[in-house]
């Protein structure tokens, strides 16, 4: 499994997307949203789900940058909300 923290630190997205996603965090429902966005069970470990979300978000970002007409900003925000929420569920290593 790749280092998720390192991957997340390298993500650079427009502020407006990140801000919109932060506002959507309070409405995130793991059971409902994860199944709809990824088709995966919320019973899977958060780290595994985050990897899947990162992959999907990367594809959306490439679509956005290319100017493809199929890009949907609302879907991008939904994925970022899920990604942020799932990252919060990953256990952090205990500092000594």
């Amino acid at each position: 499994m790749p280092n998720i923290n390192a991957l997340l630190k390298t993500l650079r997205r427009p502020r407006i997307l990140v801000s919109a996603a932060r506002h959507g965090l309070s409405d995130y429902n793991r059971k409902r949203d994860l199944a709809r966005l990824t088709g995966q069970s919320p019973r899977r470990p958060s780290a595994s789900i985050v990897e899947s979300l990162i992959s999907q978000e990367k594809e959306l970002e490439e679509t956005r940058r290319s100017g493809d007409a199929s890009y949907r900003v609302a879907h991008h925000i939904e994925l970022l909300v899920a990604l942020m929420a799932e990252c919060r569920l990953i256990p952090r290593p205990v500092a000594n």
Side-chain angles (χ1 to χ4, degrees):
M1 174 184 306
N3 185 346
I4 292 172
N5 288 330
L7 285 171
L8 293 174
K9 286 180 183 180
T10 63
L11 282 180
R12 298 289 178 248
R13 301 298 180 254
R15 274 188 208 162
I16 195 160
L17 279 177
V18 175
S19 179
R22 282 188 186 128
H23 286 291
L25 279 171
S26 62
D27 292 331
Y28 180 71
N29 178 313
R30 190 171 199 257
K31 190 174 186 178
R32 175 196 67 208
D33 297 335
L34 217 60
R36 184 176 47 80
L37 289 171
T38 65
Q40 299 172 358
S41 169
R43 293 185 182 131
R44 288 183 50 212
S46 288
S48 171
I49 291 170
V50 167
E51 281 185 37
S52 174
L53 290 169
I54 286 174
S55 174
Q56 289 181 45
E57 195 279 334
K58 183 179 177 183
E59 289 177 22
L60 265 180
E61 178 64 8
E62 290 171 3
T63 304
R64 181 187 72 80
R65 287 178 176 250
S66 72
D68 191 325
S70 68
Y71 173 73
R72 293 184 3 226
V73 69
H75 183 62
H76 200 163
I77 292 168
E78 289 172 334
L79 271 175
L80 287 171
V81 167
L83 183 57
M84 288 176 181
E86 291 300 319
C87 284
R88 290 179 176 182
L89 298 175
I90 296 174
R92 303 286 179 228
V94 178
N96 293 333

